[in-house]
Amino acid sequence: MSVKIRLKRIGKKHRPIYHIVVADSRSPRNGKFIEKLGTYNPHTDPPSTVLKMQNSVSWLMKGAQPTNTVKSIFSKTGVLLNKHLLEGVKKGVFTNEEHQKRFHSWYKKYKI
């Protein structure tokens, strides 16, 4: 079973809002999903994203593949950086405290 992290369209005509969901790759776009990770609204300026960070990183560590759009959203919100740092902790390259320090320095630099 191949698991994807992708967008599920909801909302009105011409005003879509998306749920970021984990789903089997064989299920339809708006069909059955495993878990909802957050929402994405492209109509606000800047586009608003609400994510469950820990669950998103957990699914990525398990091997779920994000689509291109979700990968871009994860990159902008720091989910991919967090996953990368956790893999470094898992391999023993640096400690958990170093992971926290690096992530918080990135967060201060790129978030308002």
Side-chain angles (χ1 to χ4, degrees):
M1 180 171 99
S2 178
V3 178
K4 293 267 188 187
I5 302 175
R6 62 184 183 197
L7 298 176
K8 177 181 178 179
R9 184 184 165 135
I10 59 169
K12 298 179 180 180
K13 285 190 222 177
H14 308 292
R15 297 288 293 175
I17 298 173
Y18 299 95
H19 284 171
I20 301 170
V21 297
V22 178
D24 184 5
S25 63
R26 297 170 291 181
S27 66
R29 179 191 72 183
N30 291 337
K32 189 169 83 170
F33 61 90
I34 299 168
E35 182 180 356
K36 178 183 166 190
L37 298 177
T39 59
Y40 171 67
N41 185 356
H43 297 291
T44 58
D45 189 30
S48 63
T49 306
V50 177
L51 277 175
K52 296 177 187 173
M53 177 78 80
Q54 295 298 329
N55 293 1
S56 301
V57 172
S58 172
W59 277 105
L60 287 173
M61 296 287 274
K62 291 175 187 173
Q65 295 297 311
T67 60
N68 292 336
T69 306
V70 173
K71 191 173 185 178
S72 175
I73 292 169
F74 281 179
S75 177
K76 291 174 185 170
T77 56
V79 173
L80 291 180
L81 174 68
N82 203 0
K83 175 192 177 269
H84 177 72
L85 293 172
L86 282 173
E87 286 176 347
V89 169
K90 190 176 180 180
K91 291 179 181 176
V93 177
F94 46 83
T95 63
N96 198 16
E97 292 79 23
E98 182 69 20
H99 157 261
Q100 295 293 332
K101 187 177 108 180
R102 288 184 185 197
F103 184 74
H104 287 300
S105 68
W106 175 87
Y107 192 80
K108 286 179 188 176
K109 186 175 180 182
Y110 291 104
K111 298 294 177 181
I112 297 173

